[in-house]
Amino acid sequence: MPITPANGQTTGTAAMTATDTADEPIMLELVDEDGRTIGTAEKLAAHQAPGQLHRAFSVFLFDEQGRLLLQRRALGKYHSPGVWSNTACGHPYPGEKPFAAAARRTAEELGLAPSLLGEAGTVRYNHPDPESGLVEQEYNHLFVGLVRDTPQPDPEEVGEYAFVTPDELARRHAEAPFSVWFMTVLDAARPAIRELTGTTAGW
């Protein structure tokens, strides 16, 4: 698994920032089954049933003890509010590299930059969300890395966070709601997670 220092910078002329005006539609990249870009769609439209296959990313960051950084999505989120999920996730803007998008959203949501960040493969899934009626039809780029800074979450994005061991995650997952995509992306990223954290961390 290639690991690269992450500085949170974005690349590509289409990259945008958190300060973009709210009245501008957020556009996503539509892709085919092989992950090739075939067009764009507005964010909410891409998630309305039956869903349009689009590019996404998921980030899993670990501290030096091998604990996974989870976040609980803010209650004001339009999709999956108030549920626990992986460190950060989202969608690259059209023309934005997934790695740059992953670093950008980690900074926007949690106010930190990973000390290391590496690619961990891709996973394609179709997960309807029974609560909202929206559909996660995604070609997801996975990233794993290390974090040494204390999160400073944006309250509009993140309700709370926690660093958990595998056993703590299992207990939390049994007791609290998680995002519909969480276990799919976690299981797909496990080989890279084990390479990063070592066998003693238990992932």
Side-chain angles (χ1 to χ4, degrees):
M1 176 190 66
I3 296 288
T4 307
N7 59 15
Q9 294 179 343
T10 59
T11 61
T13 56
M16 301 167 65
T17 71
T19 59
D20 293 320
T21 58
D23 56 354
E24 289 186 6
I26 297 175
M27 305 301 292
L28 310 184
E29 278 190 358
L30 300 181
V31 300
D32 64 16
E33 293 293 338
D34 296 314
R36 293 184 292 254
T37 302
I38 59 173
T40 61
E42 190 275 328
K43 182 178 179 180
L44 182 58
H47 287 87
Q48 290 174 336
Q52 300 178 75
L53 184 60
H54 58 274
R55 196 178 308 283
F57 63 85
S58 291
V59 178
F60 296 86
L61 296 182
F62 297 83
D63 66 10
E64 293 177 329
Q65 289 75 50
R67 298 180 301 170
L68 171 61
L69 173 56
L70 297 177
Q71 65 154 279
R72 186 173 65 83
R73 293 165 63 85
L75 293 175
K77 300 281 281 185
Y78 84 99
H79 190 352
S80 302
V83 303
W84 287 91
S85 198
N86 47 293
T87 307
C89 59
H91 311 90
Y93 295 119
E96 184 182 25
K97 298 295 186 184
F99 181 93
R104 171 178 59 81
R105 283 304 290 165
T106 302
E108 290 172 356
E109 294 182 14
L110 290 159
L112 53 79
S115 57
L116 292 172
L117 191 66
E119 297 178 0
T122 60
V123 61
R124 190 259 195 257
Y125 51 80
N126 178 4
H127 285 310
D129 179 15
E131 294 296 324
S132 67
L134 300 175
V135 177
E136 291 290 358
Q137 186 91 242
E138 295 187 329
Y139 187 94
N140 196 305
H141 297 255
L142 307 171
F143 298 92
V144 303
L146 299 175
V147 60
R148 294 190 175 92
D149 297 331
T150 300
Q152 302 292 331
D154 178 351
E156 294 188 1
E157 298 286 349
V158 179
E160 60 182 301
Y161 69 88
F163 286 93
V164 298
T165 66
D167 288 343
E168 290 167 344
L169 174 60
R171 289 194 295 271
R172 190 180 292 262
H173 192 265
E175 297 170 356
F178 272 68
S179 62
V180 294
W181 62 86
F182 175 76
M183 288 308 301
T184 297
V185 293
L186 175 62
D187 287 343
R190 281 187 194 274
I193 290 172
R194 291 173 182 140
E195 184 178 345
L196 177 73
T197 62
T199 57
T200 58
W203 295 103

